Amino acid sequence: MNDVQAAERDQGIAMRERMAMYTDNALKIGLFGSNCSSGRAVTLISDRWSGNWEDNLALAQMADSAGLEFILPVGRWKGYGGDTDYMGTSLETITWATGLLAHTKRLIAFGTVHAPLFHPIIAAKQMVTADQISEGRFGLNIVVGWNEDEFQMFGVTQREHDARYDYAQDWIDAVKTAWTAPDDVDFDGQFVKLKKIRAKPKPFGGTRPLIMNAGASDVGRAFAIRNCDAFFTQASRRSMEETAERVKAAKADAKSQGRELDVYTVGVVTCRRTKKEAEEYYRYAMIENGDWSAVDGILVKKNISPATVGQEEFLAQRQHYINGMGGLLMVGDPDQIADTLANLSRAGVRGVGFSFINYLNELPFFCDEVLPRLERMGIRAKRKS
Ligand SMILES: Cc1cc2nc3c(=O)[nH]c(=O)nc-3n(C[C@H](O)[C@H](O)[C@H](O)COP(=O)(O)O)c2cc1C
């Protein structure tokens, strides 16, 4: 084996370690949405998530010592209005991740980056800085954006849907060029044209940050399969078999392009000692005290109305969006939550990013009760201290 082959082999191993998020656990667990006020729960209750730095830091450190694998922020620039101005306070995600990485030991922190709003070379260097600080624990969630008034705030015109992914392709290629190329390479994309790129240092350990994307359209899904290590997709609300089919299809599509791909999903967890307690709390926080005016604002932005989708689907979507854009709803006792997570793992899902109504209040019970059950089921290894 010559030096180049050895380097490629080492990079392959190191990249696989990044994809495994540095643990042997079959199911990776992460927290989603804590960088924004209210997190993903569109609720009026006074206990709703603050989203402030102090709480985010305490949460990340708690997740880190419990052995959770990742923390994933939402890239949001403006609130959605309503009585709470849902997500109106948000910590910018690359700087948020960098701060958390400096204060944790094992956790992967993602930045959620809007490709059309960040210059690729600046973003590449910011991400490398986070990656260096954390010795390889930074991850990139690349998003193309959809929220028109956010783009207007930047003075940027949104492209038509599919063209957003054409631009994102240029953007990610430019970022990868900055991460790997020697000095003074030009980048000549369809949209992005760069002369004599110099970007040093490179990402930690001769590899690159884990890249994820959650495109749901055909074009978005194809982009994820072509470019990402982790594809976030919705779990079926109908059956685990359907989820297993989705996972299998995405992995097969990646394989046909010579790529390895892990499939992740998102969820919303309310876990209490009994099923009844969990359901009561969920009903109190998310139904009786939902910030329905914010939900209605989100639906308008998404052009979801009785006129566009029909009354029945509109009401279903309204219910779905009260959990901050959805995800698999898991409300129950520790056995039920552990069973659902184990079934996702058996369906081939590599990991789940979920939210709580109040992350800091609810994570300790989850770690004390659900994680040991997953360990006993063989879905996760015993935690190292
Ligand atoms: C886990 C997850 C995280 C996402 N994070 C963001 C985000 O922070 N900001 C954003 O604008 N879109 C975000 N999205 C939206 C997706 O990137 C994507 O645009 C959406 O699923 C619609 O797919 P499409 O772009 O293929 O139409 C997220 C979606 C998921 C499932």
Side-chain angles (χ1 to χ4, degrees):
M1 186 183 295
N2 64 30
D3 286 354
V4 173
Q5 285 166 332
E8 280 171 357
R9 184 209 55 192
D10 292 347
Q11 184 162 5
I13 292 166
M15 207 54 227
R16 272 198 297 282
E17 281 172 2
R18 288 212 193 216
M19 284 180 74
M21 297 187 171
Y22 307 116
T23 73
D24 295 332
N25 296 323
L27 186 76
K28 316 295 175 190
I29 293 184
L31 299 169
F32 177 34
S34 69
N35 66 309
C36 297
S37 54
S38 293
R40 296 176 69 237
V42 198
T43 175
L44 300 170
I45 63 168
S46 56
D47 247 8
R48 67 182 181 270
W49 181 241
S50 71
N52 69 29
W53 171 249
E54 199 186 355
D55 286 349
N56 270 280
L57 179 57
L59 179 69
Q61 289 180 326
M62 191 186 280
D64 198 37
S65 27
L68 302 196
E69 276 83 4
F70 68 97
I71 189 159
L72 172 65
V74 171
R76 186 93 298 138
W77 304 98
K78 262 188 172 184
Y80 288 105
D83 294 332
T84 57
D85 189 20
Y86 174 59
M87 288 192 171
T89 302
S90 60
L91 295 169
E92 188 284 320
T93 71
I94 301 180
T95 40
W96 166 90
T98 309
L100 296 182
L101 289 166
H103 288 287
T104 48
K105 295 191 177 75
R106 294 179 289 220
L107 198 65
I108 307 276
F110 283 89
T112 295
V113 183
H114 279 87
L117 301 181
F118 281 69
H119 189 283
I121 299 294
I122 295 178
K125 283 196 71 84
Q126 288 175 319
M127 293 188 278
V128 163
T129 306
D131 204 50
Q132 289 287 338
I133 288 171
S134 62
E135 301 188 338
R137 291 185 290 120
F138 180 80
L140 162 64
N141 174 20
I142 173 169
V143 296
V144 299
W146 58 274
N147 203 337
E148 190 61 47
D149 63 351
E150 285 188 332
F151 275 66
Q152 284 169 0
M153 178 170 92
F154 289 91
V156 172
T157 307
Q158 279 212 87
R159 295 179 171 81
E160 152 298 300
H161 179 278
D162 292 1
R164 292 173 202 166
Y165 283 100
D166 293 337
Y167 180 81
Q169 187 63 57
D170 253 21
W171 190 91
I172 194 70
D173 288 343
V175 166
K176 285 181 179 173
T177 302
W179 283 348
T180 54
D183 279 357
D184 297 335
V185 165
D186 293 346
F187 181 85
D188 189 24
Q190 189 186 342
F191 306 94
V192 178
K193 297 186 187 297
L194 309 168
K195 290 275 177 226
K196 294 191 176 179
I197 298 169
R198 286 195 184 189
K200 292 180 282 192
K202 303 299 182 194
F204 183 79
T207 59
R208 59 160 174 76
L210 198 63
I211 301 176
M212 64 156 279
N213 174 262
S217 61
D218 289 347
V219 172
R221 180 181 179 279
F223 174 86
I225 288 170
R226 216 168 41 243
N227 296 288
C228 297
D229 310 298
F231 171 45
F232 273 67
T233 190
Q234 294 290 343
S236 164
R237 272 177 277 162
R238 279 186 290 271
S239 73
M240 281 295 169
E241 288 73 32
E242 200 173 358
T243 299
E245 285 303 317
R246 288 181 193 173
V247 173
K248 219 168 108 190
K251 287 175 87 76
D253 286 355
K255 199 150 208 121
S256 71
Q257 296 175 32
R259 306 198 67 250
E260 287 296 320
L261 182 77
D262 286 330
V263 180
Y264 283 69
T265 197
V266 287
V268 176
V269 172
T270 298
C271 185
R272 293 291 186 276
R273 208 155 287 286
T274 65
K275 177 172 188 278
K276 184 165 175 284
E277 256 182 87
E279 287 176 351
E280 278 172 5
Y281 185 70
Y282 180 80
R283 193 174 325 110
Y284 155 75
M286 302 312 310
I287 308 295
E288 292 159 13
N289 290 293
D291 184 354
W292 291 102
S293 54
V295 170
D296 288 335
I298 297 171
L299 293 175
V300 168
K301 284 189 205 301
K302 292 243 169 192
N303 197 25
I304 297 171
S305 70
T308 56
V309 297
Q311 180 70 9
E312 198 182 325
E313 178 60 17
F314 172 71
L315 292 177
Q317 289 285 352
R318 205 166 175 258
Q319 195 59 54
H320 191 56
Y321 273 79
I322 197 79
N323 297 316
M325 322 290 183
L328 190 65
L329 187 59
M330 294 176 255
V331 180
D333 63 32
D335 284 327
Q336 290 175 297
I337 304 297
D339 278 345
T340 307
L341 292 172
N343 285 335
L344 285 170
S345 177
R346 290 179 196 121
V349 169
R350 184 72 157 136
V352 187
F354 52 71
S355 49
F356 295 106
I357 293 166
N358 183 309
Y359 300 80
L360 263 184
N361 291 351
E362 297 174 56
L363 184 60
F365 184 70
F366 178 90
C367 292
D368 288 347
E369 296 295 332
V370 180
L371 289 184
R373 283 169 168 78
L374 294 174
E375 288 163 14
R376 289 198 288 276
M377 290 169 172
I379 302 295
R380 289 179 61 87
K382 237 186 151 33
R383 277 168 280 170
K384 298 185 194 99
S385 53

